[in-house]
Amino acid sequence: MCYRQTNQITFFISETLRVRLLRMKLLQVLKYLDNRRLVHKEAINFCQNILRKKLVDWEAVYRFNLSRPIRDVDLVVTIGGDGTLLQASHFVDNSIPVLGVNSDPTQAKEVEQYSEEFDASRSTGFLCAATVKNFEQIIDDILENHATPSEVSRMSVTLNSKQLSPYALNDVLIAHPCPATVSRFSFRTKKEEQSCSSLVHCRSSGLRVSTAAGSTAAMLSAGGFAMPILSKDLQYIVREPIAPGAYNSLMHGIVKPEELMEIAWYCKEGLIYIDGSHLVHSVQHGDIIELSSNAPTLKVFLPSHLIS
C-alpha cells in the first residue's frame, strides 16, 4: 500500500513539474510575441514622427483597408515586412516608387538564445531597404533626389486569354485544391506564337513560377536558385513530379523575357495562387494559363547589397 502510494505521489509531482515547465514555455512564447507586437507598433510611431518633421503631406493606411489602386502620390512607404510590401505592390502601377521598412528585423542573438525552445525568427524584409535605424536618412535621400528606385520585374497571368489581376511580384503556384491530389497539366514555352520547347506532360503536386524577386523565397526552398534581383527572367519548377522520365531535365528551367509559358490544365479543378494564399483564382479542366514577364515593373528602393 505504501509502495503504491509513493509511486502515485511521485507521478503527481512529475506531472506538476511538467505542467509547470510547459506553462513557463508558453509564457515565454507569449512574451516574445507581445514583444514583436510592441516593436512593430513602435516602428510605425517612429516613422510617423519622422514624416511629421518633413515638409510632406502623408496619410496612414492599414494594409487590410487597401481596396483600390493607389494614385496621385509620389511615394508609398510600407511598414512591416515583405508581406506588407507585396500587398501594397498589388495596388501600385509602375509610376509610383515603393520604400519598404522592416519594422521587426530578426535578431541573430535572439534566434540562438531560443533555438531549443521555439523559432524566434522575426521579419526577413528581403525587399525592405529601411529599418528604424536608417529610415530618416533614406527619406532625406529620396526627398533630395539622391536615391533612385530600381525597376523590379513582375509577372503577367492570363487565364483563357483574360488578364488576371494583380501582377505577381513574387511567384505563382498552380495546383489542385487538395495538396494530396495529383495535379495533371502540360506546359511549354512559346515565342511569338511559335513553340520554343516540346510539350511537357506532368503529373505532380503542382507548378511554381517565380520572378527574380521571388526566387529567394519558396522557389529557393523547393530546390530552385536565387536570381539577380533585376533579372527579367522567370524561373519555374515542377513540384514533386511523378515519373518524369524523358522530361526530367525540363522539370526546372527558365522562361526568357521574350517568351511566355503556356500551361494546359487537365484536372477537374485547380487553383492559381498569386503571391501567396490571399489571391486565388479557380481553374478547371481544359483551361489555358499563360505566364510571362510582360508586365509593368515595380519601382522599389532596394537594400544596397541587392544591387551592388
mmCIF file of all heavy atoms in Angstrom, residues 70 73-79 81-82 84-101 127-130 138-139 142 148-150 152 154 169 297-303:
data_model
loop_
_atom_site.group_PDB
_atom_site.id
_atom_site.type_symbol
_atom_site.label_atom_id
_atom_site.label_comp_id
_atom_site.label_asym_id
_atom_site.label_seq_id
_atom_site.Cartn_x
_atom_site.Cartn_y
_atom_site.Cartn_z
ATOM 1 N N ILE A 70 -3.654 52.705 -55.739
ATOM 2 C CA ILE A 70 -3.069 53.893 -55.120
ATOM 3 C C ILE A 70 -2.645 54.841 -56.236
ATOM 4 O O ILE A 70 -1.863 54.477 -57.114
ATOM 5 C CB ILE A 70 -1.855 53.514 -54.252
ATOM 6 C CG1 ILE A 70 -2.285 52.551 -53.144
ATOM 7 C CG2 ILE A 70 -1.203 54.758 -53.659
ATOM 8 C CD1 ILE A 70 -1.128 51.966 -52.351
ATOM 9 N N VAL A 73 0.090 59.981 -55.652
ATOM 10 C CA VAL A 73 1.092 60.136 -54.600
ATOM 11 C C VAL A 73 2.472 59.992 -55.244
ATOM 12 O O VAL A 73 2.612 59.457 -56.355
ATOM 13 C CB VAL A 73 0.928 59.092 -53.465
ATOM 14 C CG1 VAL A 73 -0.428 59.234 -52.792
ATOM 15 C CG2 VAL A 73 1.120 57.677 -53.983
ATOM 16 N N ASP A 74 3.494 60.474 -54.549
ATOM 17 C CA ASP A 74 4.865 60.419 -55.074
ATOM 18 C C ASP A 74 5.654 59.240 -54.517
ATOM 19 O O ASP A 74 6.678 58.859 -55.102
ATOM 20 C CB ASP A 74 5.604 61.720 -54.744
ATOM 21 C CG ASP A 74 4.933 62.930 -55.374
ATOM 22 O OD1 ASP A 74 4.722 62.901 -56.601
ATOM 23 O OD2 ASP A 74 4.618 63.889 -54.647
ATOM 24 N N LEU A 75 5.179 58.682 -53.409
ATOM 25 C CA LEU A 75 5.916 57.587 -52.771
ATOM 26 C C LEU A 75 4.974 56.800 -51.880
ATOM 27 O O LEU A 75 4.103 57.368 -51.215
ATOM 28 C CB LEU A 75 7.069 58.148 -51.926
ATOM 29 C CG LEU A 75 7.881 57.147 -51.093
ATOM 30 C CD1 LEU A 75 8.705 56.239 -51.998
ATOM 31 C CD2 LEU A 75 8.794 57.895 -50.111
ATOM 32 N N VAL A 76 5.144 55.476 -51.884
ATOM 33 C CA VAL A 76 4.444 54.604 -50.948
ATOM 34 C C VAL A 76 5.473 54.030 -49.981
ATOM 35 O O VAL A 76 6.484 53.466 -50.410
ATOM 36 C CB VAL A 76 3.713 53.455 -51.683
ATOM 37 C CG1 VAL A 76 3.170 52.437 -50.683
ATOM 38 C CG2 VAL A 76 2.578 54.001 -52.540
ATOM 39 N N VAL A 77 5.225 54.195 -48.693
ATOM 40 C CA VAL A 77 6.097 53.635 -47.660
ATOM 41 C C VAL A 77 5.342 52.509 -46.973
ATOM 42 O O VAL A 77 4.238 52.722 -46.449
ATOM 43 C CB VAL A 77 6.506 54.701 -46.616
ATOM 44 C CG1 VAL A 77 7.368 54.064 -45.517
ATOM 45 C CG2 VAL A 77 7.263 55.839 -47.286
ATOM 46 N N THR A 78 5.904 51.305 -46.998
ATOM 47 C CA THR A 78 5.270 50.180 -46.307
ATOM 48 C C THR A 78 6.051 49.889 -45.037
ATOM 49 O O THR A 78 7.289 49.857 -45.051
ATOM 50 C CB THR A 78 5.247 48.922 -47.199
ATOM 51 O OG1 THR A 78 6.583 48.460 -47.441
ATOM 52 C CG2 THR A 78 4.562 49.215 -48.525
ATOM 53 N N ILE A 79 5.333 49.695 -43.943
ATOM 54 C CA ILE A 79 5.976 49.412 -42.653
ATOM 55 C C ILE A 79 5.498 48.054 -42.187
ATOM 56 O O ILE A 79 4.323 47.854 -41.889
ATOM 57 C CB ILE A 79 5.635 50.501 -41.608
ATOM 58 C CG1 ILE A 79 5.999 51.884 -42.154
ATOM 59 C CG2 ILE A 79 6.388 50.241 -40.304
ATOM 60 C CD1 ILE A 79 5.565 53.026 -41.252
ATOM 61 N N GLY A 81 6.931 44.063 -43.288
ATOM 62 C CA GLY A 81 7.944 43.177 -43.855
ATOM 63 C C GLY A 81 7.675 42.986 -45.322
ATOM 64 O O GLY A 81 6.995 43.802 -45.967
ATOM 65 N N ASP A 82 8.184 41.898 -45.880
ATOM 66 C CA ASP A 82 7.980 41.638 -47.304
ATOM 67 C C ASP A 82 6.506 41.429 -47.639
ATOM 68 O O ASP A 82 6.059 41.793 -48.731
ATOM 69 C CB ASP A 82 8.781 40.404 -47.726
ATOM 70 C CG ASP A 82 10.277 40.680 -47.763
ATOM 71 O OD1 ASP A 82 10.662 41.812 -48.093
ATOM 72 O OD2 ASP A 82 11.055 39.769 -47.453
ATOM 73 N N THR A 84 3.910 42.915 -46.338
ATOM 74 C CA THR A 84 3.257 44.223 -46.443
ATOM 75 C C THR A 84 3.618 44.894 -47.759
ATOM 76 O O THR A 84 2.759 45.474 -48.439
ATOM 77 C CB THR A 84 3.674 45.113 -45.263
ATOM 78 O OG1 THR A 84 3.462 44.415 -44.039
ATOM 79 C CG2 THR A 84 2.870 46.399 -45.241
ATOM 80 N N LEU A 85 4.896 44.781 -48.146
ATOM 81 C CA LEU A 85 5.317 45.368 -49.419
ATOM 82 C C LEU A 85 4.646 44.653 -50.588
ATOM 83 O O LEU A 85 4.198 45.295 -51.553
ATOM 84 C CB LEU A 85 6.842 45.298 -49.535
ATOM 85 C CG LEU A 85 7.490 46.137 -50.646
ATOM 86 C CD1 LEU A 85 8.912 46.530 -50.268
ATOM 87 C CD2 LEU A 85 7.505 45.415 -51.983
ATOM 88 N N LEU A 86 4.539 43.333 -50.495
ATOM 89 C CA LEU A 86 3.866 42.561 -51.538
ATOM 90 C C LEU A 86 2.428 43.026 -51.721
ATOM 91 O O LEU A 86 1.955 43.227 -52.841
ATOM 92 C CB LEU A 86 3.875 41.080 -51.179
ATOM 93 C CG LEU A 86 5.016 40.208 -51.696
ATOM 94 C CD1 LEU A 86 4.894 38.805 -51.137
ATOM 95 C CD2 LEU A 86 5.025 40.173 -53.211
ATOM 96 N N GLN A 87 1.727 43.168 -50.595
ATOM 97 C CA GLN A 87 0.328 43.579 -50.691
ATOM 98 C C GLN A 87 0.199 44.957 -51.316
ATOM 99 O O GLN A 87 -0.661 45.193 -52.170
ATOM 100 C CB GLN A 87 -0.319 43.575 -49.302
ATOM 101 C CG GLN A 87 -1.745 44.098 -49.305
ATOM 102 C CD GLN A 87 -2.676 43.303 -48.428
ATOM 103 O OE1 GLN A 87 -2.271 42.362 -47.780
ATOM 104 N NE2 GLN A 87 -3.924 43.686 -48.400
ATOM 105 N N ALA A 88 1.054 45.877 -50.906
ATOM 106 C CA ALA A 88 0.999 47.229 -51.470
ATOM 107 C C ALA A 88 1.293 47.214 -52.966
ATOM 108 O O ALA A 88 0.695 47.979 -53.733
ATOM 109 C CB ALA A 88 1.999 48.130 -50.748
ATOM 110 N N SER A 89 2.193 46.324 -53.395
ATOM 111 C CA SER A 89 2.561 46.267 -54.817
ATOM 112 C C SER A 89 1.374 45.938 -55.705
ATOM 113 O O SER A 89 1.355 46.293 -56.885
ATOM 114 C CB SER A 89 3.676 45.237 -55.038
ATOM 115 O OG SER A 89 3.183 43.908 -54.993
ATOM 116 N N HIS A 90 0.391 45.260 -55.159
ATOM 117 C CA HIS A 90 -0.790 44.883 -55.940
ATOM 118 C C HIS A 90 -1.698 46.080 -56.246
ATOM 119 O O HIS A 90 -2.628 45.961 -57.039
ATOM 120 C CB HIS A 90 -1.595 43.818 -55.192
ATOM 121 C CG HIS A 90 -0.834 42.543 -54.994
ATOM 122 N ND1 HIS A 90 -1.121 41.646 -53.983
ATOM 123 C CD2 HIS A 90 0.219 42.017 -55.662
ATOM 124 C CE1 HIS A 90 -0.280 40.632 -54.055
ATOM 125 N NE2 HIS A 90 0.532 40.827 -55.061
ATOM 126 N N PHE A 91 -1.422 47.209 -55.591
ATOM 127 C CA PHE A 91 -2.255 48.405 -55.800
ATOM 128 C C PHE A 91 -1.461 49.555 -56.413
ATOM 129 O O PHE A 91 -1.951 50.683 -56.477
ATOM 130 C CB PHE A 91 -2.853 48.856 -54.458
ATOM 131 C CG PHE A 91 -3.778 47.850 -53.827
ATOM 132 C CD1 PHE A 91 -3.291 46.889 -52.954
ATOM 133 C CD2 PHE A 91 -5.134 47.849 -54.125
ATOM 134 C CE1 PHE A 91 -4.141 45.946 -52.383
ATOM 135 C CE2 PHE A 91 -5.975 46.914 -53.558
ATOM 136 C CZ PHE A 91 -5.480 45.956 -52.693
ATOM 137 N N VAL A 92 -0.226 49.254 -56.861
ATOM 138 C CA VAL A 92 0.650 50.301 -57.371
ATOM 139 C C VAL A 92 1.068 49.977 -58.807
ATOM 140 O O VAL A 92 1.433 48.834 -59.102
ATOM 141 C CB VAL A 92 1.914 50.432 -56.479
ATOM 142 C CG1 VAL A 92 2.860 51.484 -57.038
ATOM 143 C CG2 VAL A 92 1.523 50.797 -55.054
ATOM 144 N N ASP A 93 1.012 50.997 -59.689
ATOM 145 C CA ASP A 93 1.492 50.776 -61.051
ATOM 146 C C ASP A 93 2.994 51.065 -61.106
ATOM 147 O O ASP A 93 3.662 51.158 -60.072
ATOM 148 C CB ASP A 93 0.697 51.616 -62.056
ATOM 149 C CG ASP A 93 0.817 53.120 -61.805
ATOM 150 O OD1 ASP A 93 1.772 53.546 -61.112
ATOM 151 O OD2 ASP A 93 -0.028 53.879 -62.311
ATOM 152 N N ASN A 94 3.527 51.234 -62.309
ATOM 153 C CA ASN A 94 4.970 51.423 -62.421
ATOM 154 C C ASN A 94 5.394 52.891 -62.380
ATOM 155 O O ASN A 94 6.521 53.225 -62.745
ATOM 156 C CB ASN A 94 5.485 50.782 -63.715
ATOM 157 C CG ASN A 94 4.840 51.374 -64.963
ATOM 158 O OD1 ASN A 94 3.859 52.108 -64.880
ATOM 159 N ND2 ASN A 94 5.398 51.057 -66.115
ATOM 160 N N SER A 95 4.490 53.764 -61.924
ATOM 161 C CA SER A 95 4.830 55.191 -61.849
ATOM 162 C C SER A 95 5.139 55.647 -60.432
ATOM 163 O O SER A 95 5.720 56.718 -60.234
ATOM 164 C CB SER A 95 3.679 56.036 -62.410
ATOM 165 O OG SER A 95 2.529 55.945 -61.576
ATOM 166 N N ILE A 96 4.758 54.839 -59.431
ATOM 167 C CA ILE A 96 4.932 55.236 -58.032
ATOM 168 C C ILE A 96 5.954 54.316 -57.358
ATOM 169 O O ILE A 96 5.741 53.108 -57.278
ATOM 170 C CB ILE A 96 3.598 55.168 -57.264
ATOM 171 C CG1 ILE A 96 2.542 56.042 -57.933
ATOM 172 C CG2 ILE A 96 3.793 55.583 -55.809
ATOM 173 C CD1 ILE A 96 1.149 55.893 -57.349
ATOM 174 N N PRO A 97 7.064 54.866 -56.866
ATOM 175 C CA PRO A 97 8.061 54.031 -56.184
ATOM 176 C C PRO A 97 7.610 53.625 -54.788
ATOM 177 O O PRO A 97 6.791 54.308 -54.163
ATOM 178 C CB PRO A 97 9.300 54.925 -56.127
ATOM 179 C CG PRO A 97 8.759 56.309 -56.154
ATOM 180 C CD PRO A 97 7.503 56.265 -56.985
ATOM 181 N N VAL A 98 8.157 52.518 -54.328
ATOM 182 C CA VAL A 98 7.809 51.968 -53.013
ATOM 183 C C VAL A 98 9.074 51.839 -52.163
ATOM 184 O O VAL A 98 10.111 51.383 -52.647
ATOM 185 C CB VAL A 98 7.145 50.584 -53.144
ATOM 186 C CG1 VAL A 98 6.817 50.002 -51.775
ATOM 187 C CG2 VAL A 98 5.888 50.673 -54.004
ATOM 188 N N LEU A 99 8.969 52.239 -50.911
ATOM 189 C CA LEU A 99 10.041 52.052 -49.938
ATOM 190 C C LEU A 99 9.532 51.148 -48.830
ATOM 191 O O LEU A 99 8.543 51.463 -48.169
ATOM 192 C CB LEU A 99 10.490 53.390 -49.344
ATOM 193 C CG LEU A 99 11.440 53.289 -48.134
ATOM 194 C CD1 LEU A 99 12.769 52.656 -48.528
ATOM 195 C CD2 LEU A 99 11.651 54.661 -47.499
ATOM 196 N N GLY A 100 10.190 50.027 -48.642
ATOM 197 C CA GLY A 100 9.803 49.107 -47.587
ATOM 198 C C GLY A 100 10.612 49.338 -46.323
ATOM 199 O O GLY A 100 11.838 49.471 -46.377
ATOM 200 N N VAL A 101 9.922 49.380 -45.188
ATOM 201 C CA VAL A 101 10.572 49.496 -43.881
ATOM 202 C C VAL A 101 10.350 48.189 -43.123
ATOM 203 O O VAL A 101 9.204 47.809 -42.868
ATOM 204 C CB VAL A 101 9.999 50.668 -43.052
ATOM 205 C CG1 VAL A 101 10.719 50.778 -41.708
ATOM 206 C CG2 VAL A 101 10.103 51.975 -43.822
ATOM 207 N N LEU A 127 13.150 42.645 -49.322
ATOM 208 C CA LEU A 127 12.994 43.759 -50.250
ATOM 209 C C LEU A 127 12.959 45.120 -49.558
ATOM 210 O O LEU A 127 12.793 46.148 -50.222
ATOM 211 C CB LEU A 127 11.711 43.584 -51.067
ATOM 212 C CG LEU A 127 11.650 42.360 -51.994
ATOM 213 C CD1 LEU A 127 10.267 42.232 -52.611
ATOM 214 C CD2 LEU A 127 12.713 42.437 -53.072
ATOM 215 N N CYS A 128 13.087 45.126 -48.251
ATOM 216 C CA CYS A 128 12.975 46.368 -47.475
ATOM 217 C C CYS A 128 14.335 47.041 -47.326
ATOM 218 O O CYS A 128 15.268 46.467 -46.755
ATOM 219 C CB CYS A 128 12.391 46.090 -46.091
ATOM 220 S SG CYS A 128 10.709 45.421 -46.126
ATOM 221 N N ALA A 129 14.452 48.258 -47.828
ATOM 222 C CA ALA A 129 15.723 48.986 -47.768
ATOM 223 C C ALA A 129 15.936 49.657 -46.428
ATOM 224 O O ALA A 129 17.067 50.001 -46.070
ATOM 225 C CB ALA A 129 15.768 50.032 -48.880
ATOM 226 N N ALA A 130 14.852 49.851 -45.671
ATOM 227 C CA ALA A 130 14.954 50.647 -44.447
ATOM 228 C C ALA A 130 14.556 49.872 -43.203
ATOM 229 O O ALA A 130 13.813 48.890 -43.264
ATOM 230 C CB ALA A 130 14.089 51.908 -44.572
ATOM 231 N N ILE A 138 17.263 57.629 -45.372
ATOM 232 C CA ILE A 138 16.769 57.222 -46.693
ATOM 233 C C ILE A 138 15.669 58.167 -47.168
ATOM 234 O O ILE A 138 15.634 58.545 -48.349
ATOM 235 C CB ILE A 138 16.259 55.767 -46.656
ATOM 236 C CG1 ILE A 138 17.443 54.812 -46.463
ATOM 237 C CG2 ILE A 138 15.505 55.416 -47.936
ATOM 238 C CD1 ILE A 138 17.059 53.351 -46.399
ATOM 239 N N ILE A 139 14.776 58.572 -46.279
ATOM 240 C CA ILE A 139 13.723 59.529 -46.646
ATOM 241 C C ILE A 139 14.342 60.840 -47.108
ATOM 242 O O ILE A 139 13.921 61.432 -48.125
ATOM 243 C CB ILE A 139 12.759 59.761 -45.463
ATOM 244 C CG1 ILE A 139 11.793 58.597 -45.320
ATOM 245 C CG2 ILE A 139 11.974 61.055 -45.637
ATOM 246 C CD1 ILE A 139 10.817 58.429 -46.482
ATOM 247 N N ILE A 142 15.704 60.411 -50.562
ATOM 248 C CA ILE A 142 14.633 60.371 -51.574
ATOM 249 C C ILE A 142 14.104 61.777 -51.838
ATOM 250 O O ILE A 142 13.930 62.184 -52.998
ATOM 251 C CB ILE A 142 13.497 59.432 -51.114
ATOM 252 C CG1 ILE A 142 13.979 57.985 -51.099
ATOM 253 C CG2 ILE A 142 12.281 59.569 -52.034
ATOM 254 C CD1 ILE A 142 12.983 57.012 -50.496
ATOM 255 N N THR A 148 17.704 56.520 -56.102
ATOM 256 C CA THR A 148 16.962 56.121 -57.305
ATOM 257 C C THR A 148 16.357 54.740 -57.097
ATOM 258 O O THR A 148 17.073 53.811 -56.704
ATOM 259 C CB THR A 148 17.882 56.084 -58.530
ATOM 260 O OG1 THR A 148 18.498 57.366 -58.689
ATOM 261 C CG2 THR A 148 17.104 55.723 -59.786
ATOM 262 N N PRO A 149 15.062 54.580 -57.366
ATOM 263 C CA PRO A 149 14.459 53.248 -57.222
ATOM 264 C C PRO A 149 14.892 52.311 -58.338
ATOM 265 O O PRO A 149 15.214 52.757 -59.444
ATOM 266 C CB PRO A 149 12.954 53.532 -57.279
ATOM 267 C CG PRO A 149 12.847 54.778 -58.116
ATOM 268 C CD PRO A 149 14.071 55.594 -57.790
ATOM 269 N N SER A 150 14.896 51.036 -58.048
ATOM 270 C CA SER A 150 15.176 50.016 -59.053
ATOM 271 C C SER A 150 13.865 49.533 -59.649
ATOM 272 O O SER A 150 12.810 49.603 -59.001
ATOM 273 C CB SER A 150 15.916 48.833 -58.423
ATOM 274 O OG SER A 150 17.151 49.238 -57.876
ATOM 275 N N VAL A 152 11.892 46.437 -60.632
ATOM 276 C CA VAL A 152 11.841 45.000 -60.385
ATOM 277 C C VAL A 152 10.749 44.374 -61.242
ATOM 278 O O VAL A 152 9.636 44.905 -61.345
ATOM 279 C CB VAL A 152 11.579 44.727 -58.880
ATOM 280 C CG1 VAL A 152 11.437 43.231 -58.623
ATOM 281 C CG2 VAL A 152 12.707 45.304 -58.035
ATOM 282 N N ARG A 154 7.798 42.064 -62.698
ATOM 283 C CA ARG A 154 6.588 41.386 -62.226
ATOM 284 C C ARG A 154 6.113 40.399 -63.295
ATOM 285 O O ARG A 154 6.618 40.390 -64.411
ATOM 286 C CB ARG A 154 5.488 42.403 -61.888
ATOM 287 C CG ARG A 154 5.805 43.208 -60.635
ATOM 288 C CD ARG A 154 4.611 43.999 -60.129
ATOM 289 N NE ARG A 154 4.451 45.277 -60.793
ATOM 290 C CZ ARG A 154 3.658 46.255 -60.350
ATOM 291 N NH1 ARG A 154 2.958 46.083 -59.244
ATOM 292 N NH2 ARG A 154 3.551 47.397 -61.001
ATOM 293 N N LEU A 169 4.396 39.830 -57.989
ATOM 294 C CA LEU A 169 5.738 40.339 -57.704
ATOM 295 C C LEU A 169 6.664 39.199 -57.275
ATOM 296 O O LEU A 169 7.859 39.220 -57.564
ATOM 297 C CB LEU A 169 5.682 41.402 -56.597
ATOM 298 C CG LEU A 169 7.018 41.983 -56.145
ATOM 299 C CD1 LEU A 169 7.751 42.659 -57.305
ATOM 300 C CD2 LEU A 169 6.817 42.969 -54.990
ATOM 301 N N THR A 297 6.769 46.914 -64.543
ATOM 302 C CA THR A 297 7.712 46.693 -63.446
ATOM 303 C C THR A 297 7.233 47.428 -62.195
ATOM 304 O O THR A 297 6.298 48.241 -62.252
ATOM 305 C CB THR A 297 9.110 47.196 -63.826
ATOM 306 O OG1 THR A 297 9.023 48.590 -64.165
ATOM 307 C CG2 THR A 297 9.674 46.405 -64.984
ATOM 308 N N LEU A 298 7.861 47.127 -61.073
ATOM 309 C CA LEU A 298 7.580 47.846 -59.829
ATOM 310 C C LEU A 298 8.827 48.619 -59.442
ATOM 311 O O LEU A 298 9.923 48.042 -59.368
ATOM 312 C CB LEU A 298 7.203 46.877 -58.706
ATOM 313 C CG LEU A 298 6.886 47.543 -57.355
ATOM 314 C CD1 LEU A 298 5.537 48.267 -57.420
ATOM 315 C CD2 LEU A 298 6.875 46.503 -56.224
ATOM 316 N N LYS A 299 8.675 49.900 -59.202
ATOM 317 C CA LYS A 299 9.803 50.711 -58.751
ATOM 318 C C LYS A 299 9.959 50.568 -57.234
ATOM 319 O O LYS A 299 9.033 50.895 -56.483
ATOM 320 C CB LYS A 299 9.588 52.182 -59.122
ATOM 321 C CG LYS A 299 9.652 52.448 -60.623
ATOM 322 C CD LYS A 299 9.500 53.922 -60.937
ATOM 323 C CE LYS A 299 9.620 54.176 -62.445
ATOM 324 N NZ LYS A 299 9.464 55.602 -62.771
ATOM 325 N N VAL A 300 11.118 50.056 -56.824
ATOM 326 C CA VAL A 300 11.358 49.793 -55.404
ATOM 327 C C VAL A 300 12.735 50.317 -55.017
ATOM 328 O O VAL A 300 13.714 50.126 -55.753
ATOM 329 C CB VAL A 300 11.313 48.278 -55.093
ATOM 330 C CG1 VAL A 300 11.337 48.049 -53.591
ATOM 331 C CG2 VAL A 300 10.112 47.618 -55.711
ATOM 332 N N PHE A 301 12.797 50.961 -53.859
ATOM 333 C CA PHE A 301 14.091 51.317 -53.286
ATOM 334 C C PHE A 301 14.611 50.070 -52.569
ATOM 335 O O PHE A 301 14.065 49.657 -51.540
ATOM 336 C CB PHE A 301 13.962 52.497 -52.320
ATOM 337 C CG PHE A 301 13.632 53.793 -53.001
ATOM 338 C CD1 PHE A 301 12.317 54.232 -53.084
ATOM 339 C CD2 PHE A 301 14.635 54.570 -53.572
ATOM 340 C CE1 PHE A 301 11.997 55.419 -53.725
ATOM 341 C CE2 PHE A 301 14.329 55.767 -54.215
ATOM 342 C CZ PHE A 301 13.008 56.187 -54.296
ATOM 343 N N LEU A 302 15.639 49.447 -53.138
ATOM 344 C CA LEU A 302 16.124 48.167 -52.651
ATOM 345 C C LEU A 302 17.298 48.340 -51.696
ATOM 346 O O LEU A 302 18.031 49.332 -51.765
ATOM 347 C CB LEU A 302 16.564 47.293 -53.830
ATOM 348 C CG LEU A 302 15.467 46.829 -54.771
ATOM 349 C CD1 LEU A 302 16.081 46.159 -56.000
ATOM 350 C CD2 LEU A 302 14.515 45.861 -54.068
ATOM 351 N N PRO A 303 17.505 47.340 -50.821
ATOM 352 C CA PRO A 303 18.718 47.356 -49.979
ATOM 353 C C PRO A 303 19.953 47.382 -50.861
ATOM 354 O O PRO A 303 19.997 46.756 -51.920
ATOM 355 C CB PRO A 303 18.605 46.027 -49.199
ATOM 356 C CG PRO A 303 17.154 45.680 -49.215
ATOM 357 C CD PRO A 303 16.628 46.186 -50.533
#
